[in-house]
Amino acid sequence: EQAQTENGNLQKENNNLKTEIEKLNAQKLIEAEKLTALQNSPQSVYPPADKVCYLTFDDGPSDNTLKILDILDSFNAKATFFVIGSSGKLDYVKQIHERGHVVGLHSDSHKYNVIYSSTDAYFADLEAISNKVEQIIGIKSKIMRFPGGGSNGVSKKYCVGIMSRLTNQVKAKGYAYFDWNVSSGDADGNNVPATQIVNNVLNQSVNKNSICVLMHDSAAKGTTVEALPAMLDGLAKMGFRFEGLTESTYGYCHAVNN
């Protein structure tokens, strides 16, 4: 009995040691990926010091896209559209590009349970939307945004630690990924009042030199379109100019939660 007890204790210690070794190896791999990411990523490590606004629209194109483009043109403003392959309106990507805006990659399926099931699944999805965009505009986009952002915790339901890996791996593969530092709040539901969206953006932009604004370009976000003229007017009066993101733009990246 004593021998069996001692053997059981030894096995527990051995299992604990194995777990610790696996953790150390995983951490070493993440650190190696971080180093590669730093070496390969073209992104600036500092935000711009002047008044620049990066307007970004996720989840399109949609029936609202052409309305958004017309409003942007009226303000001579450039923006970035993080598109999805399942939007049903992907042909509008051509107009986005031809009218001088930036086409970024968001997701092909936009199904969290699929894309965040593994790093391989994520990159398969990213490659799918990348290929579709390249076929339309003839350019391979290296600008992207994670569904839910780099700080999303939903991914933990499908694969623990995946965002810690992906945020390094996309940079190591030469992508520039972007979160945001101003949220319009239009993701809180459909038909968020336009005045509320405007106030959300303007209030969060006070005392910021540069801003990256999160908005959505899906068919259900009609009030985002309604809010856009007053938002652009208010931001312009605050001294902001409107540009599209580039591979070297600071990422406005959130702290990773998974």
Side-chain angles (χ1 to χ4, degrees), residues 40-237:
N40 289 12
S41 175
Q43 283 184 282
S44 172
V45 295
Y46 299 107
D50 55 347
K51 293 291 239 186
V52 58
C53 170
Y54 302 104
L55 301 166
T56 68
F57 297 89
D58 290 7
D59 298 352
S62 73
D63 289 330
N64 285 322
T65 302
L66 299 184
K67 299 173 190 174
I68 291 170
L69 292 176
D70 288 342
I71 294 168
L72 292 172
D73 283 350
S74 70
F75 281 85
N76 194 28
K78 299 306 177 190
T80 302
F81 291 77
F82 291 104
V83 300
I84 60 174
S86 57
S87 70
K89 300 286 182 178
L90 206 58
D91 52 321
Y92 287 161
V93 163
K94 185 175 171 62
Q95 279 215 49
I96 293 170
H97 175 67
E98 289 180 345
R99 290 168 78 165
H101 304 283
V102 177
V103 180
L105 311 175
H106 197 37
S107 173
D108 189 47
S109 68
H110 207 256
K111 294 178 179 177
Y112 285 35
N113 63 320
V114 175
I115 62 174
Y116 290 136
S117 62
S118 69
T119 55
D120 286 345
Y122 177 81
F123 282 109
D125 181 272
L126 184 64
E127 184 178 7
I129 183 60
S130 175
N131 290 341
K132 289 176 182 178
V133 167
E134 186 177 11
Q135 286 173 4
I136 295 170
I137 65 175
I139 296 172
K140 185 173 281 296
S141 177
K142 285 292 189 178
I143 289 172
M144 53 151 296
R145 172 173 284 159
F146 293 108
S151 61
N152 85 80
V154 180
S155 57
K156 192 178 291 187
K157 292 199 307 187
Y158 310 112
C159 184
V160 174
I162 191 171
M163 297 312 301
S164 296
R165 301 292 300 277
L166 287 177
T167 50
N168 290 323
Q169 289 179 3
V170 293
K171 288 188 174 185
K173 291 177 182 287
Y175 289 96
Y177 89 84
F178 295 89
D179 287 326
W180 56 89
N181 66 345
V182 171
S183 174
S184 67
D186 66 354
D188 293 344
N190 297 331
N191 301 313
V192 175
T195 52
Q196 184 177 327
I197 292 172
V198 173
N199 289 336
N200 285 343
V201 172
L202 297 184
N203 290 340
Q204 291 173 53
S205 301
V206 174
N207 298 324
K208 286 187 172 78
N209 280 329
S210 66
I211 56 174
C212 187
V213 183
L214 173 68
M215 291 175 284
H216 292 81
D217 172 24
S218 56
K221 304 300 179 183
T223 55
T224 301
V225 181
E226 292 174 26
L228 201 51
M231 182 195 307
L232 288 165
D233 184 60
L235 290 171
K237 287 176 179 174

